[in-house]
């Protein structure tokens, strides 16, 4: 079994620790442990400082599962804790890996969506989220890819890296299609509920959908490595529990306590992300209008990333490489199997985003001048 190189993480690991302005990040404003603990009462803080560093339960701590169940409006038994949405994807693809089976995933998309099933020998079919179609997630295109051997259809909304979203009505129609054919519908909701216009509901309300999410993106506390699966089917939950017991056994008790605080105080935590995203997206809109002779883009409907492109059709990796040398980190589109684009995150920089855009604008003018001379 071979896994293809993880280009995105290799790129980020090379640059993000020393870069001045990180516009490749897909998260929101950061939190410290002290800031998260400050959201809790004295009893919880005492518990955090004095809890025993032992194994947690494979399904996750009861109180954390209860907090997620309350947030998602589902029974607590429907919640399975995992080590980030990444472990959920490992479990799902592992369980889907039957001879002759196929899965349907978005392109562009997070590398794991395609790398995992391909490494497991699954036929991987792609529905394209194209700029020519306004980055629309089209359920009809997805349906046409499905057949009797389709085990799983994955929808990521808001979508990484484009920021596209699927409407409630479209998700419901896709859910009904999958339910009728015995296909597992997986909704990756790590950017939910950060939207810039039309709000959509979690697919956790749909009886035959599987929802995966974590605290890395919308909550922006990736270091706790807490994720979850919402599953209404008891047999699937049993399979996830067994897979989890083999893969990672449990999360850290420290991370679970911090995660529960953030979820119970989600109005504050998500509010911080939404405020930064909304403010910085407006700045980005002005920036893109100013540089519309160099860059094309489609404003994101949700999440904290956009997926612009160079109108000159120059190499986006070379463009990103040169930008990094000038202190601006962007993510090349080939990290998402679409080399003509680059990902730009607009929330992680927080209050420094305006300065980052000033630097990026100066770089663009210099780049454009060199291209014109060439």
């Amino acid at each position: 079994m071979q896994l293809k190189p993880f280009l995105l993480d290799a790129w980020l690991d090379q640059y993000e620790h020393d870069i001045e302005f990180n516009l490749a990040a897909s998260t929101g404003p950061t939190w410290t442990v002290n800031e998260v603990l400050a959201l809790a009462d004295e009893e919880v803080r005492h518990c955090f400082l004095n809890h025993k560093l032992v194994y947690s339960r494979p399904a996750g701590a009861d109180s954390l599962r209860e907090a997620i169940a309350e947030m998602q409006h589902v029974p607590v038994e429907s919640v399975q804790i995992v080590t980030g949405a990444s472990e959920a994807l490992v479990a799902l693809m592992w369980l889907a890996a039957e001879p002759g089976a196929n899965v349907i995933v978005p392109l562009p998309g997070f590398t794991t969506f395609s790398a995992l099933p391909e490494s497991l020998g699954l036929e991987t079919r792609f529905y394209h989220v194209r700029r020519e179609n306004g980055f629309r997630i089209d359920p009809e295109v997805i349906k046409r890819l499905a057949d009797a051997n389709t085990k799983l259809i994955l929808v990521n909304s808001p979508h990484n890296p484009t920021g596209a979203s699927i409407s409630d009505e479209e998700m419901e129609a896709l859910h009904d299609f999958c339910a009728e054919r015995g296909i597992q519908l997986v909704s990756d909701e790590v950017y939910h509920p950060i939207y810039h216009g039309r709000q959509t509901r979690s697919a956790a309300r749909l009886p035959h959908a599987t929802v995966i999410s974590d605290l890395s993106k919308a909550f922006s506390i990736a270091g706790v490595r807490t994720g979850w699966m919402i599953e209404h089917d008891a047999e699937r939950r049993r399979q996830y529990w067994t897979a989890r017991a083999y893969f990672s056994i449990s999360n850290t008790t420290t991370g679970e306590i911090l995660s529960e605080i953030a979820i119970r105080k989600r109005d504050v935590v998500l509010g911080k992300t939404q405020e930064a995203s909304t403010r910085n997206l407006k700045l980005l809109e002005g920036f893109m209008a100013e540089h519309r002779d160099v860059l094309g883009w489609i404003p994101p409907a949700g999440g904290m990333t956009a997926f612009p492109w160079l109108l000159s059709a120059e190499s986006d990796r070379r463009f990103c490489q040169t930008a990094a040398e000038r202190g601006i980190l962007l993510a090349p589109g080939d990290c998402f199997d679409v080399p003509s684009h680059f990902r730009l995150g607009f929330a992680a920089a927080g209050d420094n985003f305006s300065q980052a855009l000033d630097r990026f604008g100066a770089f663009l003018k210099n780049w454009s001048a060199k291209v014109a001379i060439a």
Side-chain angles (χ1 to χ4, degrees), residues 20-293:
E20 188 172 1
F21 296 110
N22 186 355
L23 300 184
S26 58
T27 56
T30 58
W31 289 80
T32 66
V33 172
N34 272 338
E35 287 171 336
V36 175
L37 286 176
L39 299 175
D41 58 30
E42 184 59 37
E43 181 180 350
V44 173
R45 290 195 292 271
H46 177 80
C47 175
F48 176 81
L49 293 173
N50 292 279
H51 76 280
K52 295 179 180 179
L53 296 175
V54 297
Y55 285 115
S56 182
R57 302 180 66 185
D62 290 345
S63 58
L64 174 58
R65 294 173 67 214
E66 288 166 3
I68 293 169
E70 186 270 330
M71 176 176 67
Q72 295 277 41
H73 307 290
V74 297
V76 68
E77 59 267 21
S78 298
V79 180
Q80 167 68 58
I81 304 300
V82 286
T83 309
S86 294
E87 185 177 26
L89 288 167
V90 172
L92 288 166
M93 296 303 178
W94 191 282
L95 294 170
E98 297 179 357
N102 67 73
V103 297
I104 300 172
V105 299
L107 182 71
F110 189 54
T111 303
T112 308
F113 294 164
S114 59
L116 278 176
E118 288 170 355
S119 71
L120 292 166
L122 279 159
E123 180 190 352
T124 307
R125 300 179 178 182
F126 297 98
Y127 61 91
H128 293 268
V129 183
R130 306 178 187 274
R131 70 185 188 219
E132 296 82 2
N133 196 28
F135 287 150
R136 182 176 173 232
I137 300 171
D138 191 337
E140 295 307 314
V141 171
I142 297 172
K143 291 176 185 178
R144 287 197 291 271
L145 290 170
D147 61 22
N149 294 319
T150 301
K151 294 285 292 182
L152 180 153
I153 292 174
L154 188 147
V155 176
N156 175 209
S157 178
H159 176 251
N160 179 13
T162 68
S165 68
I166 186 170
S167 72
D168 290 341
E169 295 75 17
E170 289 171 328
M171 182 66 87
E172 288 163 9
L174 190 56
H175 166 268
D176 293 346
F177 171 87
C178 290
E180 290 170 3
R181 289 158 181 78
I183 299 170
Q184 184 171 16
L185 175 62
V186 177
S187 179
D188 180 330
E189 300 182 0
V190 294
Y191 288 98
H192 177 81
I194 306 301
Y195 295 99
H196 313 294
R198 178 188 67 189
Q199 302 286 312
T200 63
R201 300 166 64 193
S202 169
R205 72 189 188 281
L206 303 173
H208 300 288
T210 302
V211 169
I212 63 174
S213 192
D214 64 24
L215 299 181
S216 299
K217 306 301 185 183
F219 281 83
S220 292
I221 51 172
V224 299
R225 301 307 302 134
T226 297
W228 60 88
M229 307 172 76
I230 305 296
E231 179 60 69
H232 301 286
D233 184 281
E235 175 55 25
R236 284 179 178 164
R237 290 200 302 267
R238 185 193 64 76
Q239 293 176 329
Y240 304 154
W241 190 100
T242 300
R244 204 333 168 66
Y246 279 111
F247 294 156
S248 65
I249 303 175
S250 68
N251 285 60
T252 68
T253 49
T254 301
E256 288 189 328
I257 295 171
L258 292 171
S259 300
E260 184 181 346
I261 293 170
I263 290 168
R264 294 197 184 279
K265 295 293 184 177
R266 59 188 174 276
D267 288 349
V268 176
V269 179
L270 293 172
K272 181 177 176 179
T273 304
Q274 184 70 67
E275 191 276 331
S277 299
T278 300
R279 180 188 68 240
N280 290 348
L281 181 56
K282 289 180 180 178
L283 294 175
L284 183 59
E285 288 170 347
F287 177 88
M288 295 301 291
E290 181 182 352
H291 297 281
R292 59 181 174 271
D293 58 329

Side-chain angles (χ1 to χ4, degrees), residues 9-32:
D9 276 17
W11 174 266
L12 295 176
D13 189 60
Q14 180 179 356
Y15 290 108
E16 68 178 350
H17 303 291
D18 300 311
I19 203 78
E20 188 172 1
F21 296 110
N22 186 355
L23 300 184
S26 58
T27 56
T30 58
W31 289 80
T32 66

